[in-house]
Amino acid sequence: MNTPIRGRFAPSPSGRMHLGNLFAALLAWLDVRSLGGEMVLRMEDLDPDRCKPAYLPQLAEDLRWLGLDWDEGWQPGDTVYTQSHRTAVYQAAFDRLAEAGLVYPCFCTRRELLAASAPHAADGARVYDGRCRRLSPAERAARLATGRKPAWRVAVPAETVSFVDGNYGPQAQRLDTDCGDFILRRSDGVYAYQLAVAADDGAMGITRVVRGWDLLSSTPRQIWLLEQLGYPAPAYCHVPLLLAPDGRRLAKRDRDLDVGCLRANSTPEKVTGLLAYLAGLQPRPAPVRPRELVRDFSWAQVGARDRVVDERAWAAL
Ligand code: GLU
């Protein structure tokens, strides 16, 4: 039997989406629909400090407004496609890694972490030097006995993970030197994004991951975690970012770009037209519906260059 093609929308409900989120969502939808696959909507609301329940229905409604649909996923009252309700899944994944001897507690404070990690050139993240990995069993027991809650890290091997991104081409990362032992569960008990995404993509049978290239450097970690959890890795296509004219990345704080303002001032066809133009899928920002773009969609048209949303682009709305 052939594996079904399955992609996902995986928004974080930390605010209203903006034009850049819609850009990635449109490309994720076109990627899967052009292959005749299924779409899943999963709400990534793990971080209780950033995510608000009120944003969940709004997100689903905003995707629908643009003309994007999905075959299964979040709906009001859902607990299956909502990360904050999937703690048992992450606990099981965590336990599996722990049983394989790959998990250790990390007692480093924020200040110690700065001292214990080297800045990582690729994405500005820091590579942890693994000092808590080297604690003796007695030292570990003594620290646990103080009652201070540790974070939990996974011990990565000295291995290179390689993959071919469908839009950015061949990628490789040495796990120990480019990334280091990373956090699976924070000291407050919240499971980390990397673990949750790998466990969910695996459990939900996702075969196509399309998202902003800011997550390109997380991909080797996720591929490696999927492998440890016994799942095949999906295909990954990262998408360019939308930038403001001053070169900044569009962000949720740019109020004038959020979907609420777009909905108040424009139409789904005009917004899709602009996104399709920015993506290289049509020569002008002419109004269009997502489903009209499915037939001719190809990644060769999209390419890797980030896009500036300038005055001319706005004029299309
Ligand atoms: N939830 C993440 C975000 O909204 C995306 C995660 C992913 O696609 O892997 O940025």
Side-chain angles (χ1 to χ4, degrees), residues 8 10-12 44 193 197 211 215:
R8 66 346 183 245
S12 295
E44 302 213 321
Y193 159 73
V197 160
R211 58 188 179 190
L215 290 169

Side-chain angles (χ1 to χ4, degrees), residues 4 12 27 29 40 65 71 88 99 121 129 132 139 186 192 277:
S12 295
L27 289 171
W29 185 88
V40 175
W65 174 81
D71 305 282
E99 276 154 26
D129 73 358
C132 283
E139 286 170 319
R186 299 187 335 202
Y277 162 71

Side-chain angles (χ1 to χ4, degrees), residues 185-248:
R185 192 163 80 200
R186 299 187 335 202
S187 59
D188 61 3
V190 173
Y191 286 98
Y193 159 73
Q194 307 291 355
L195 178 69
V197 160
D200 282 348
D201 284 340
M204 294 179 185
I206 299 301
T207 65
R208 314 269 317 164
V209 170
V210 176
R211 58 188 179 190
W213 73 253
D214 51 320
L215 290 169
L216 193 55
S217 64
S218 287
T219 307
R221 263 170 281 183
Q222 293 171 16
I223 292 174
W224 181 76
L225 280 176
L226 280 154
E227 195 185 319
Q228 307 313 307
L229 297 173
Y231 294 117
Y236 293 87
C237 294
H238 286 82
V239 311
L241 301 179
L242 297 191
L243 306 176
D246 63 4
R248 254 182 334 114

